[in-house]
Amino acid sequence: MRFMTRLKKESTLFKQIFFSVFVIGSVLIIGFGSVIYQRTYTNIQQTFLQKHREAVNQVKSNLEHKIQMVEYAFSTYSNTQHFKANLQADYADMQFRDVQTINSQLAYISIMGIEEASYQLINVEKAWRIDQGSLKRLSEEEVSMYQAMGNQDRYIDWQSEENHLKMVMTLPVFSQDTHALGIAEINKQAIAQLVAHQSDSFLNIINTEGTVLFNDGDTIDGQLAKKIMDDHTATGMIKGTDQQSYVYTQSEYNNWFYVMRLAPKEVSAAMGSFRISLIGIAAFLVALLAFLAYRIARIATSPINRISDVLKSKQVGEKVEVNQVISEINQILSHNQVLSGEMDRQKPELASLFLLNLFRGCIAEKDIPTKVQHFGYQVSEHDHFRVMLIQIDDLGNRDPINGDVFLLALQNLVAEIIPDTLRLQPIMFRQDIQGTLLKFPNEIRQSDIFDYCQKIRKAAKDYLKIKISIGVSDNYQSLHLTKEAVKNAEESLRYRLNLGEEVIIFFDDIATRFDKSAVIQYPTDAETIFLDAMRSGDLALINETYAQVVQQIIHDNKNPMTIESAFFQLINNIIRLGQLLGADYTSLEKSRKVYQQVLNQNHLFKIEQSIYDELVLPIVETIQIKTDREIRSLSDKIVVLIHQQYDQDLSLDKVAEQLHYNANYLSNVFKKEMTVTFADYLQNYRLKIAKKWLEETEMTIKEIATRLKYTNSQNFIRFFKKKEQVTPGEYRKKFS
């Protein structure tokens, strides 16, 4: 649009020169391109036609050779004495040896001819047939049918059926009467394999009557088949009504026509890329022509404009002077230089924006190579990539508002520690995460990446006084998969909630959450026994079961990374148990130290000892203390309820309902603390109250029994005597 506006402002001479050059050049380009396209199309079409001619001749040769071998084998066999003797033998006279000999001959014909075909020998006069190795008697209808087959004008007849092609040959050859028939039933699938060609076109085989004996696709139109048979040439090419080309050849052996089709889409498909390239070149040449035409017109009119500017001063409404145009061009060039310098200054920010969009999957796959090259990154199709995300765990009691500053400092650390040949520019991926795209010419070992991550983590702790966690994605080889790799790295960072601070997590190691065939093996059954031992508080059992868990982890996992992950899982489950059983915060706080020791300690014994000393024992001790305190508290509450409700219908189930505990649990707790059962304690306390009432009140024995919830006074008297060796009445007399 800007170009056309400028063109309108030019002089008439300028426009005449420009359009003359542009129109003539465009005509030449279009004409030249059309000639090239037509010649190329014709050459490709002729190449395809020649390919199809060779293919159809090859098909004809392959099939005719096999058919001739079958015919020769039947003809040769029909002239043997054995065959002539068998023609005179009735069904009942046929010997097993004769049948075997005929079967051997038919097997030989199968080997000489087309495999996977069925061969039969039929004695029409004696009404027997040998088919698939067995001798069978013919019915009268079958004899009549085979006689009709033999009474043909030719000694070989071909019949096309649904799944096979049948060859019927009169034996002996050229005999006036039909004595025997040799039949070959050729499976059409076997023919398709025999005549297989490398073309996508179909193949039809037509006899002289126009019958299609074989096709491996569409069937040829009847009119077109007649047109081919009327052509009177052995080989040729003919156009169908569908504008498709058909290549055919006629057999000199049996006059069959073999027809293949060359569809226009075959040529068009071959021309596709050439057509696109030709259009692209033509468009480029037209654009170049427009530029050249403009330059030619500008050069041609420049002297005239200069002379006009010298001869007269500029008037209102006249065209812009040449010197003014030159001055404006100089200003534009100067402005472009300024813009170019500004672009160079903003290139790092643009590169960061590109990587940020790449992390978010906002760049089309086809645009990625162009942008990578634009920002000067050396990336090849053989490179391997990983995404590394760094998240700050602890700013060291600093104001969180300074998080951006530390992320920027982390970018500089990454840039210093990891060579620029192994990474792209580090960026701030999110408000709290720094991201780096790692690249390697070959697939790098995970341990090498882990070394870089350790250096970054140590530098952040030593120089910046902050704690960081690092998540690394799995390996991939196409940059358009970066968004998925970022998700994997983020998934790795989520595991810091379970693992604690200052961890380095590879997605490959946590993929067990998604992949059941992962390498990490974890002793779930052994761990269950160990955690149950922790619940019981039995230190000897805890010692034994913990050793079994550790030994199984080391035995089942051969990779140090998977061993570390298994220990992390064990630590997590121990902490969860401690939280569930109410371990205090001080015991659980030691888990951070344990995580750090697992990360930094390479000696398995020290890792095992650290988990046991710093985590298992403190949790068991605090749980035991709390359990003892809880048991004492519950026992006291039960005693209070007994003292308050002894004269009510009181039971352990009702006490459990009031205290919101399980009745069995309360029974165990009470007996452990009070050394007697709940029922015994209740009965003893009621006995104590009864003795007090007998001493201090005038209540009758029956009233006391009723108040203490005995079903009758006799039960009360028997219980009292059993405990005190005297009856309630005798006991009262002592104090009267």
Side-chain angles (χ1 to χ4, degrees), residues 291-456:
F291 173 76
L292 291 176
Y294 185 86
R295 294 300 301 162
I296 291 171
R298 172 64 65 195
I299 293 171
T301 57
S302 179
I304 298 175
N305 291 334
R306 287 181 179 273
I307 293 172
S308 177
D309 182 60
V310 171
L311 291 177
K312 60 178 181 178
S313 60
K314 179 184 174 186
Q315 301 295 325
V316 177
E318 290 184 338
K319 302 294 181 182
V320 178
E321 298 178 359
V322 175
N323 289 333
Q324 290 178 332
V325 173
I326 295 174
S327 176
E328 290 179 0
I329 291 175
N330 290 333
Q331 291 179 4
I332 292 173
L333 291 175
S334 176
H335 184 60
N336 285 342
Q337 290 178 351
V338 173
L339 289 178
S340 178
E342 187 67 24
M343 287 287 289
D344 290 338
R345 286 191 295 272
Q346 295 181 359
K347 194 170 183 179
E349 287 77 9
L350 294 175
S352 297
L353 181 60
F354 159 69
L355 289 171
L356 185 61
N357 288 331
L358 186 64
F359 276 31
R360 293 173 177 172
C362 299
I363 302 178
E365 182 178 355
K366 61 182 180 62
D367 296 334
I368 292 177
T370 304
K371 292 185 177 294
V372 167
Q373 186 177 8
H374 174 74
F375 290 111
Y377 294 123
Q378 302 297 323
V379 175
S380 73
E381 60 181 8
H382 303 295
D383 283 344
H384 293 252
F385 305 95
R386 284 180 185 260
V387 173
M388 181 180 72
L389 298 182
I390 302 177
Q391 184 168 358
I392 298 176
D393 293 332
D394 187 357
L395 285 173
N397 298 322
R398 299 182 182 91
D399 192 338
I401 198 171
N402 297 320
D404 291 346
V405 176
F406 284 96
L407 283 178
L408 185 60
L410 283 174
Q411 285 186 204
N412 295 332
L413 281 180
V414 172
E416 291 177 6
I417 293 173
I418 302 179
D420 54 4
T421 57
L422 301 181
R423 59 166 176 77
L424 274 63
Q425 177 180 325
I427 63 170
M428 292 175 61
F429 176 51
R430 284 208 307 262
Q431 186 176 3
D432 58 342
I433 293 180
Q434 186 277 323
T436 305
L437 182 58
L438 307 177
K439 72 178 186 73
F440 308 96
N442 297 301
E443 186 171 3
I444 194 169
R445 294 181 303 172
Q446 193 181 69
S447 58
D448 295 335
I449 302 176
F450 187 77
D451 291 341
Y452 282 119
C453 294
Q454 282 188 314
K455 291 178 181 178
I456 294 171

Side-chain angles (χ1 to χ4, degrees), residues 4 21 32 51 86 93 96 116 127 145 148 176 269 278 282 367 422 437 475 529 665 681 691 707 722:
M4 294 303 297
V21 174
F32 184 68
K51 174 185 173 184
N86 286 332
D93 298 333
F96 175 76
E116 299 183 14
M145 178 185 68
Q176 295 296 327
L278 189 61
D367 296 334
L422 301 181
L437 182 58
N475 180 76
I529 299 173
Y665 175 74
Y681 186 92
K691 289 165 64 177
R707 286 281 303 273
K722 180 180 179 182

